[in-house]
Amino acid sequence: MPDSPRSQLRTLLLAATLLLGLSGCDVVQQKLGIEAPAAKTARLEGEGKAVGGACRQSGRAIEDCYSIYSWLPKAAIYEGWRDMDVYMRENKLLTVEPQLPPPQPPGTKKKKAPPPAEDAIAEPRAEGKNGEAR
C-alpha cells in the first residue's frame, strides 16, 4: 500500500524543518562568536607563518619568537622563520632592526612608564614684549 499523501506531507515538512534548523547553525555560531575548529586552525597557521617570517626579518631568535607569541603554533612560526631565512639568504637581504619593543604576550599586565625625572621638567621662562627673556 503506497504512503498516503498525508504521510508524504509530514515527511516533507519534517525534512524542511531539519534543513532550516541545520542551515541556521552557521548564523548562530557567528552571532555567538564561535569559530569553527578548522577555520581557527587555518587562521592560526597563517598568522604563525607571518609572525615567523617577521621575526626572522627583524633578526629575532626563533626561541624569542616562540616565547613572545606563545599562543601561535610553533611549527607554523618555525616554517615562516625558515622560509624567510631562505629568502633572505638567496636575495642577500640584511635584517631590519625593530624600532619598537616586542609586544607583551596576552594576559600580562602592561608596564607603566616611569614618571619623568625632575631635571627634565623645566620651568617656563617669562618673556618680554619682544620675545626676550626677562
Side-chain angles (χ1 to χ4, degrees):
M1 178 158 99
D3 289 333
S4 68
R6 193 173 200 180
S7 177
Q8 289 176 349
L9 181 61
R10 186 178 301 156
T11 304
L12 182 63
L13 286 175
L14 180 63
T17 304
L18 286 174
L19 287 175
L20 183 62
L22 290 175
S23 67
C25 288
D26 292 338
V27 174
V28 171
Q29 285 181 344
Q30 288 175 354
K31 295 283 185 186
L32 294 175
I34 300 171
E35 190 174 9
K40 183 176 181 179
T41 302
R43 182 179 54 82
L44 290 177
E45 186 80 17
E47 287 178 10
K49 287 180 184 178
V51 164
C55 282
R56 171 58 188 102
Q57 187 178 15
S58 66
R60 189 165 284 139
I62 190 75
E63 293 82 8
D64 293 342
C65 211
Y66 289 154
S67 65
I68 294 169
Y69 301 98
S70 60
W71 68 93
L72 294 172
K74 288 183 178 181
I77 292 174
Y78 175 71
E79 188 176 344
W81 195 94
R82 187 187 63 215
D83 291 347
M84 181 57 80
D85 185 58
V86 169
Y87 178 81
M88 289 177 72
R89 288 175 191 265
E90 287 175 353
N91 295 300
K92 297 181 175 109
L93 298 175
L94 301 175
T95 59
V96 177
E97 295 296 323
Q99 301 298 315
L100 300 174
Q104 296 291 327
T108 58
K109 294 181 180 179
K110 292 184 178 182
K111 296 179 183 176
K112 292 184 179 179
E118 292 181 21
D119 296 339
I121 302 174
E123 293 183 27
R125 297 182 344 193
E127 295 182 6
K129 291 180 182 178
N130 298 332
E132 298 172 358
R134 289 196 236 175

